[in-house]
Amino acid sequence: MRDIQNEEDTRAIPLQKVGVKGVKYPVVVLDKTASKQHTTASVDLFVNLPHNYKGTHMSRFIEVFHKYHSDISMHHFLDMLEEMRTKLSAQKAFGRIEFPYFIEKKAPVTQAAGIMQYKCSYEGEVSEDGSRKFYISIQVPVATLCPCSKAISDYGAHNQRGLVSVRLLYNDFFWIEDVISMIEECASTPLYELLKRQDEKYVTEHAYDNPRFVEDVVREVYLGLKKLGFKKFSVEAETEESIHNHNAYAFAEYSE
């Protein structure tokens, strides 16, 4: 059959990325407690396209990804991109998968169990010269209590729910759970899916005893990531202010 993708294009315009985007696919990732976790990812896969090719073979992206989807761990993600780059005769291959990651979390007093969801993503790039880049992003919902509000009020203090996002350059294997735990410790209090009255009392008082600005959260996470050994990262925090009609935000990045 005629293969139009392989026919020559005469417009002399190279394309930096061509491929498939928004593919929904079941995947298996590593889980510190259960060994493996089944979840569902949104997948973007691309290669570059030289100026003389009319198109790429879209089906091959899915063929390669399907081969790896049952173990799309940090160890194998770049291997998957390299195989994709080779099969499509490209100089570069790019990939990003975003998936919900679930952790069973017990309430602090009653130990009642619930399931928390965290949004994670892998993002990678490989080149024919052997260079590789791989980033992991993790979003962690938290709660903060305003230090200023606590300091100036006769009683109470306003608090808010926020989101801490980190983007980490992969340099050595780590557990997603360890990063999440560290981030939660940097906020006024972690969030829980299930709380009984005793737990709610504990969480409320714990937040009051640990007031944090978004600036505080970012700085504490920054120090925590350095302690965990990451050599390049960014961290941002955004809170939905409870007494303002705007959000509070802070950002920092680090590179050795």
Side-chain angles (χ1 to χ4, degrees):
M1 296 174 66
R2 183 181 177 187
D3 188 353
I4 294 179
Q5 287 99 324
N6 276 338
E7 293 182 3
E8 186 175 1
D9 193 283
T10 59
R11 288 167 286 189
I13 302 174
L15 302 179
Q16 279 69 50
K17 289 183 179 181
V18 298
V20 296
K21 190 171 184 178
V23 178
K24 301 298 187 292
Y25 225 80
V27 296
V28 179
V29 296
L30 293 181
D31 185 304
K32 187 176 183 180
T33 302
S35 180
K36 293 182 179 180
Q37 180 175 146
H38 295 259
T39 185
T40 302
S42 179
V43 184
D44 302 335
L45 301 168
F46 313 107
V47 294
N48 73 299
L49 188 69
H51 70 88
N52 54 315
Y53 284 99
K54 185 172 289 293
T56 191
H57 293 272
M58 298 293 181
S59 63
R60 293 180 187 173
F61 291 99
I62 306 302
E63 288 176 345
V64 174
F65 187 78
H66 182 77
K67 176 181 175 181
Y68 286 85
H69 83 283
S70 60
D71 184 1
I72 197 68
S73 62
M74 300 177 193
H75 298 293
H76 294 155
F77 190 76
L78 292 179
D79 293 337
M80 180 267 295
L81 290 182
E82 179 60 26
E83 183 170 335
M84 189 174 299
R85 185 195 68 78
T86 302
K87 286 198 171 183
L88 287 160
S89 302
Q91 287 78 44
K92 291 185 177 182
F94 313 85
R96 185 178 189 275
I97 66 168
E98 183 178 284
F99 55 93
Y101 191 77
F102 297 95
I103 297 177
E104 183 179 84
K105 193 172 181 182
K106 294 182 178 179
V109 178
T110 65
Q111 297 295 293
I115 301 294
M116 283 288 294
Q117 175 184 303
Y118 304 89
K119 185 184 292 184
C120 301
S121 66
Y122 296 164
E123 183 179 352
E125 174 184 330
V126 299
S127 302
E128 64 178 350
D129 63 5
S131 63
R132 294 183 166 199
K133 296 178 183 177
F134 183 33
Y135 289 90
I136 299 95
S137 296
I138 305 169
Q139 292 185 352
V140 182
V142 298
T144 59
L145 183 134
C146 178
C148 182
S149 177
K150 178 180 177 179
I152 65 177
S153 301
D154 291 333
Y155 50 88
H158 80 83
N159 52 65
Q160 46 276 319
R161 191 165 66 181
L163 190 66
V164 179
S165 303
V166 297
R167 187 170 186 260
L168 315 167
L169 178 66
Y170 180 87
N171 53 273
D172 196 8
F173 178 77
F174 66 93
W175 290 107
I176 290 175
E177 292 89 340
D178 293 342
V179 175
I180 290 173
S181 294
M182 181 275 293
I183 292 172
E184 290 179 332
E185 291 173 1
C186 295
S188 295
T189 181
L191 298 186
Y192 301 84
E193 196 62 49
L194 175 61
L195 292 172
K196 308 298 280 185
R197 280 178 295 175
Q198 303 97 308
D199 303 307
E200 187 171 345
K201 178 181 185 298
Y202 174 88
V203 170
T204 301
E205 293 173 346
H206 182 73
Y208 190 80
D209 291 336
N210 293 277
R212 293 284 190 274
F213 292 124
V214 289
E215 297 94 329
D216 295 318
V217 175
V218 165
R219 285 171 171 147
E220 290 298 319
V221 173
Y222 184 105
L223 293 174
L225 292 174
K226 287 189 68 176
K227 187 175 181 179
L228 288 174
F230 292 101
K231 301 183 185 302
K232 183 175 182 180
F233 59 80
S234 66
V235 52
E236 61 181 329
E238 182 173 354
T239 59
E240 296 184 354
E241 296 291 286
S242 59
I243 63 171
H244 303 290
N245 192 29
H246 59 257
N247 292 353
Y249 177 83
F251 172 88
E253 55 186 355
Y254 170 80
S255 180
E256 282 190 355

